[in-house]
Amino acid sequence: MQNPANGTSRMARALYEARATRTPIPPLTDGDPTLDIHDGYAIQRELIELLVADGDCVIGYKAGLTSAPMQAMFSVDTPDYGPVLASTVHHDGASVPSGAFIAPKVEAEIVFRLGASLKGPGVDVDAAREAVSEVMAGLEIVDSRIEGWRIRLADTIADLASNGAVVLADPVPAGDRDFRPTGMAFSRNGELLATGAGAAALGDPVAVVAWLANVLGERGVTLEAGQLIMTGALHSAVPITAGDTFVAEFDQLGSVTLHIGE
């Protein structure tokens, strides 16, 4: 990235205003094709500071690009991450207005809550499994403040990993169960659109927790007890239209429902 530090602040401010006005902006990488992953996270951190200054708070983290097809699309071999903001979390059966977003899509995923803190490096799957206390069926709304979803990797990272909102079912104890074979059926207005299994998320959704702990640990960040960990989509995201009702049914976890308002 050739821009000085104030370039990072300028890009964070542009994304902040795009979120506030629901007006998309051109890809950041159009203006500076040299933007890389590190630049994306630098912009993301400044954007989070702006949102927290408005009264929001980070209550967890979401991982994206956890499936092989999505990584191939971006020509990467690792996931990305962004914050889970308190203002974006809704309970099962919530009605979320489509007008709150720019170009929303929805996807089903497994969500964990930590019962103990984790800090990398050196966190393995066994340690991550011991730290997880609860698991929830989740429906994530992803959105992009970038025009037409014309995102490169640095764009989506800077844009908080394209976060929008999440709807969560009631939690169940995680125990020592294996979430890799956990099956999921995803429907819109009663029509089955996709199926998936936990293994689509980095081979094991618990491995996503370990990955996040290690990557954030490199930046001096600890995953804290009580935080939510969104482990990534189990299928391709589906565009949202006002009036839609989405349901994801998970083996052992139950179902979660999202209604889309105007």
Side-chain angles (χ1 to χ4, degrees):
M1 176 178 174
Q2 302 302 317
N3 293 9
N6 64 359
T8 299
S9 298
R10 175 178 53 78
M11 294 180 192
R13 174 63 65 173
L15 286 168
Y16 172 84
E17 292 176 354
R19 295 173 71 92
T21 64
R22 302 187 187 100
T23 304
I25 61 174
L28 303 179
T29 51
D30 278 5
D32 186 351
T34 70
L35 289 175
D36 61 15
I37 290 176
H38 301 291
D39 300 318
Y41 284 120
I43 298 165
Q44 181 188 112
R45 287 191 291 274
E46 294 214 25
L47 176 54
I48 292 170
E49 289 178 3
L50 293 170
L51 296 170
V52 169
D54 280 347
D56 216 331
C57 62
V58 175
I59 61 168
Y61 292 89
K62 58 159 289 186
L65 308 181
T66 55
S67 68
M70 289 302 294
Q71 290 182 10
M73 182 183 301
F74 283 89
S75 299
V76 298
D77 59 2
T78 184
D80 67 350
Y81 69 84
V84 176
L85 298 169
S87 65
T88 68
V89 178
H90 304 269
H91 191 63
D92 182 24
S95 180
V96 179
S98 60
F101 309 97
I102 294 173
K105 302 178 183 181
V106 64
E107 54 195 34
E109 58 190 88
I110 293 171
V111 181
F112 295 122
R113 180 175 285 119
L114 297 181
S117 63
L118 279 175
K119 185 173 183 179
V123 174
D124 60 17
V125 172
D126 288 338
R129 194 181 310 278
E130 289 182 6
V132 168
S133 62
E134 295 178 328
V135 59
M136 291 152 275
L139 284 169
E140 181 184 9
I141 296 175
V142 291
D143 194 21
S144 182
R145 275 55 64 171
I146 304 299
E147 292 174 346
W149 279 94
R150 295 189 297 113
I151 51 175
R152 297 179 184 175
L153 186 57
D155 294 304
T156 185
I157 290 174
D159 192 21
L160 309 189
S162 302
N163 77 347
V166 61
V167 176
L168 300 175
D170 290 334
V172 299
D176 60 356
R177 72 184 76 189
D178 183 355
F179 295 100
R180 292 174 297 178
T182 299
M184 183 279 305
F186 174 78
S187 63
R188 178 182 59 202
N189 304 329
E191 177 187 2
L192 180 66
L193 296 184
T195 58
L202 212 60
D204 181 344
V206 178
V208 177
V209 180
W211 177 84
L212 273 168
N214 290 324
V215 170
L216 288 167
E218 294 174 358
R219 294 172 167 81
V221 177
T222 299
L223 293 180
E224 303 289 355
Q227 287 187 326
L228 297 173
I229 306 295
M230 298 170 59
T231 60
L234 304 183
H235 61 97
S236 297
V238 175
I240 282 172
T241 301
D244 284 339
T245 293
F246 295 94
V247 178
E249 301 169 272
F250 289 79
D251 291 340
Q252 304 179 61
L253 306 184
S255 65
V256 59
T257 301
L258 162 65
H259 305 289
I260 306 299
E262 294 292 341

